[in-house]
Amino acid sequence: MTFPPAVEARFPDFADHTDTLVGHGVEFFLASNETLRTHLNETPYGHKLTWLDFTDTAEKDWSIRDFLNFFNVINGIAFGDRGIPMPQWVMVDLILMPAAALIAGLPQEQFADMVERSTFRFDTDVKQLLRKVQQDMRDSGYRGPVPVGGYCAAPSAEPGRWVGWSLWSLMPAVGLGKAAKALALSAYRAQKLDGVTQYDNSALKVHTEFGALKILVATVPFHTSPGSFVYQSDLTLPAGGVLPEPTFLLDPFDYSRQRAMQKDIEAGRCEFYVLPPGHVRSDGKTYVPILEKELSR
């Protein structure tokens, strides 16, 4: 008997809107290399992904190399305000060789329409930078689709446990980020997912849709972005259940409280979880809802 990937078993409806996205021109690609193809699920949630082998040099209507380069460039634009653009070698060594990238693409005409009508609240320079990407495509003669979102994760030493490290979308409010992450986790057949994000990162809304996030490390001062923490999603847990009320609301910039949480974790006194929806508003400010569980000693 073949069992569905863990994310599909726990969240069977998370890609229901994928057909709607496809109807609006979005195409989902799985970029990797041929040696891993049999280990990946190319039909997550029953949706056939377009396979891309980054080592393929055969002539096509458009260049895979250029498409992946634009993915890298636009990914850097999306994360540019956090100072963590992705070097090209990282894309090869940490995504395309050991794993795969789930990439959402739009035809160039629809991409151009999206750029003109979008506000890109996360960075006022994004529209200008994307217009430069369009000019680069015209100058190079590239005719293929344009990456507008994606998700990347790498396998860890523990079987079934993956480390996610790049979720982004240029199409807000349409569920593209959620679909990309769900499709990718199914493609990887992931059972547990670790990741590093920031308490103020709006991606917490998407991450917590996959269940409460157990905080493994409450503060990571070595990370480039302040307010970073390490979390884990256990996709093998049963679905459903009533969510508890948060124990407290964490100010994303309260680094002293985050250090105190880490001391409690290290001492084995408490466990902490980020609850859905990831961010809540109170008194005109954004907070992270935290569940604190005291551990018996």
Side-chain angles (χ1 to χ4, degrees):
M1 179 182 296
T2 301
F3 294 98
V7 68
E8 294 191 26
R10 188 174 182 198
F11 304 108
D13 61 340
F14 268 28
D16 284 357
H17 64 303
T18 300
D19 288 341
T20 302
L21 291 168
V22 171
H24 285 88
V26 177
E27 183 174 3
F28 290 96
F29 299 86
L30 190 64
S32 182
N33 66 88
E34 197 66 31
T35 65
L36 298 182
R37 191 167 187 176
T38 59
H39 302 281
L40 296 164
N41 175 23
E42 290 185 57
T43 55
Y45 285 91
H47 180 79
K48 184 71 173 74
L49 303 176
T50 301
W51 173 258
L52 293 180
D53 185 342
F54 86 101
T55 66
D56 190 351
T57 59
E59 291 293 328
K60 295 182 176 58
D61 292 337
W62 47 269
S63 165
I64 293 176
R65 175 182 174 179
D66 287 347
F67 176 76
L68 294 174
N69 180 59
F70 286 124
F71 170 82
N72 194 29
V73 169
I74 298 173
N75 175 277
I77 292 171
F79 282 100
D81 62 333
R82 293 186 177 272
I84 46 177
M86 180 167 51
Q88 199 97 343
W89 70 265
V90 170
M91 187 174 181
V92 173
D93 289 13
L94 297 185
I95 304 175
L96 300 173
M97 284 298 296
L102 191 290
I103 305 174
L106 271 182
Q108 290 193 33
E109 287 187 8
Q110 289 170 255
F111 176 76
D113 291 342
M114 181 200 71
V115 170
E116 292 310 310
R117 69 173 181 266
S118 295
T119 57
F120 301 115
R121 292 168 295 175
F122 52 87
D123 190 328
T124 55
D125 296 328
V126 165
K127 186 168 290 195
Q128 179 181 345
L129 292 170
L130 291 179
R131 285 174 176 156
K132 183 181 183 304
V133 170
Q134 290 176 284
Q135 186 60 51
D136 290 343
M137 289 188 292
R138 288 190 289 269
D139 291 344
S140 67
Y142 175 72
R143 300 186 302 273
V146 187
V148 292
Y151 187 73
C152 306
S156 76
E158 179 182 328
R161 182 173 176 177
W162 288 67
V163 180
W165 54 280
S166 185
L167 172 65
W168 64 281
S169 168
L170 295 182
M171 299 175 67
V174 296
L176 178 60
K178 177 180 175 180
K181 184 169 183 176
L183 292 171
L185 292 177
S186 176
Y188 302 144
R189 297 186 176 93
Q191 296 181 319
K192 292 183 179 179
L193 178 73
D194 294 353
V196 180
T197 190
Q198 296 74 45
Y199 292 105
D200 68 321
N201 195 331
S202 60
L204 275 182
K205 182 179 185 300
V206 176
H207 294 320
T208 55
E209 290 200 62
F210 293 80
L213 308 178
K214 182 177 181 180
I215 298 176
L216 301 182
V217 183
T219 178
V220 189
F222 184 68
H223 198 278
T224 308
S225 295
S228 292
F229 70 99
V230 181
Y231 68 87
Q232 183 174 93
S233 297
D234 188 343
L235 303 173
T236 66
L237 295 175
V242 178
L243 283 173
E245 290 294 319
T247 310
F248 62 92
L249 299 180
L250 175 67
D251 183 335
F253 305 103
D254 188 346
Y255 303 134
S256 295
R257 185 67 183 272
Q258 294 159 26
R259 288 192 293 269
M261 290 164 60
Q262 178 58 22
K263 287 186 180 300
D264 283 338
I265 292 172
E266 291 173 357
R269 289 188 290 266
C270 301
E271 291 180 343
F272 297 94
Y273 296 81
V274 177
L275 298 177
H279 282 160
V280 296
R281 296 284 292 177
S282 179
D283 300 325
K285 291 185 62 177
T286 297
Y287 293 92
V288 181
I290 300 290
L291 174 66
E292 179 179 346
K293 288 185 176 180
E294 291 189 9
L295 300 176
S296 58
R297 302 183 69 184

